[in-house]
Amino acid sequence: DQQVKQNSPSLSVQEGRISILNCDYTNSMFDYFLWYKKYPAEGPTFLISISSIKDKNEDGRFTVFLNKSAKHLSLHIVPSQPGDSAVYFCAASGNDYKLSFGAGTTVTVRA
Amino acid sequence: EAQVTQNPRYLITVTGKKLTVTCSQNMNHEYMSWYRQDPGLGLRQIYYSMNVEVTDKGDVPEGYKVSRKEKRNFPLILESPSPNQTSLYFCASSLGPALSYNEQFFGPGTRLTVL
């Protein structure tokens, strides 16, 4: 049973607009959350993370929001660029040294 | 260049023929991990290692073995591969466990097909 869920398999957005990716989790013991980006034929690369003691973390065009009460986090990309076209994975961990991933959302940025 | 390498990148084999996928990192990382990626399921952790000679099961360890005799290497062993182990495999490493702010660095992946 997947503890991290990304319910939107794909997202298409116009260049320059905002991309919003959503992620829900079920395990209340998760206290650290990450987003990874993956291009075809490459391994995932770390994008941004957030600890459960925060509700927002920003890094350039990327912002992650955490709503602990709703067990929900989101990744905002503003503005979206063609190079952002990739698969984005949400991941979460607790105190058991394991990392649980969602199924991924494929983002396509249209010119 | 800091990197995680995996070999082979592609492998087609037959049921029951033992195989090993190697993983090596040059960053002196303590924590290493193996994942498999399957459509609709994302990445699922197979095994992880906190340090030399310390390994533990992830979420889907059945049919796999690992060893950590040296800090830099973390091979994944399939003693008797079966078709349901056909998947894309990733090795990853980080300074510390996943729960810290030390993000994991992933290898390029190994595409395994078991006939």
Side-chain angles (χ1 to χ4, degrees):
Chain A
D1 186 32
Q2 280 199 289
Q3 299 183 78
V4 178
K5 297 180 181 178
Q6 294 176 255
N7 292 320
S8 297
S10 63
L11 172 69
S12 180
V13 63
Q14 193 160 13
E15 182 178 0
R17 307 296 288 266
I18 184 172
S19 294
I20 300 176
L21 290 77
N22 293 303
C23 177
D24 297 294
Y25 61 96
T26 57
N27 188 339
S28 57
M29 299 302 292
F30 286 153
D31 58 5
Y32 183 55
F33 305 89
L34 311 92
W35 285 93
Y36 284 83
K37 177 178 179 179
K38 184 183 180 303
Y39 293 118
E42 295 182 11
T45 55
F46 170 76
L47 189 57
I48 192 169
S49 63
I50 188 167
S51 165
S52 60
I53 62 174
K54 295 185 175 182
D55 55 18
K56 176 183 175 181
N57 188 27
E58 193 172 353
D59 184 2
R61 296 186 296 114
F62 303 92
T63 303
V64 57
F65 296 92
L66 175 63
N67 182 335
K68 283 188 64 179
S69 61
K71 294 190 177 67
H72 176 84
L73 63 155
S74 61
L75 174 68
H76 293 207
I77 307 173
V78 184
S80 299
Q81 298 175 353
D84 296 331
S85 294
V87 179
Y88 290 79
F89 290 101
C90 172
S93 69
N95 58 2
D96 59 356
Y97 308 110
K98 297 179 183 179
L99 196 60
S100 297
F101 282 82
T105 297
T106 300
V107 172
T108 303
V109 180
R110 310 185 309 272
Chain B
E1 180 190 354
Q3 60 182 352
V4 177
T5 57
Q6 296 178 227
N7 282 293
R9 293 290 310 278
Y10 302 90
L11 179 61
I12 300 175
T13 189
V14 295
T15 300
K17 186 176 181 181
K18 181 180 178 179
L19 66 93
T20 298
V21 183
T22 64
C23 173
S24 183
Q25 50 94 4
N26 62 1
M27 295 167 279
N28 202 35
H29 284 170
E30 292 190 347
Y31 184 91
M32 297 186 74
S33 187
W34 274 103
Y35 298 88
R36 58 178 290 174
Q37 182 188 356
D38 300 290
L41 297 175
L43 286 87
R44 292 179 294 168
Q45 193 171 41
I46 303 170
Y47 268 94
Y48 63 94
S49 170
M50 300 289 286
N51 213 324
V52 175
E53 301 293 359
V54 181
T55 63
D56 207 347
K57 296 177 181 178
D59 293 321
V60 288
E62 294 77 22
Y64 304 95
K65 285 175 58 176
V66 293
S67 69
R68 188 89 182 273
K69 293 184 170 57
E70 305 165 282
K71 200 170 187 177
R72 63 183 293 129
N73 296 322
F74 190 44
L76 179 69
I77 303 155
L78 284 74
E79 295 271 2
S80 182
S82 62
N84 65 12
Q85 291 179 298
T86 292
S87 187
L88 179 59
Y89 291 86
F90 291 101
C91 180
S93 74
S94 66
L95 279 170
L99 56 78
S100 75
Y101 276 87
N102 298 312
E103 71 273 12
Q104 294 189 72
F105 293 81
F106 281 81
T110 295
R111 173 75 66 182
L112 172 66
T113 301
V114 183
L115 302 175

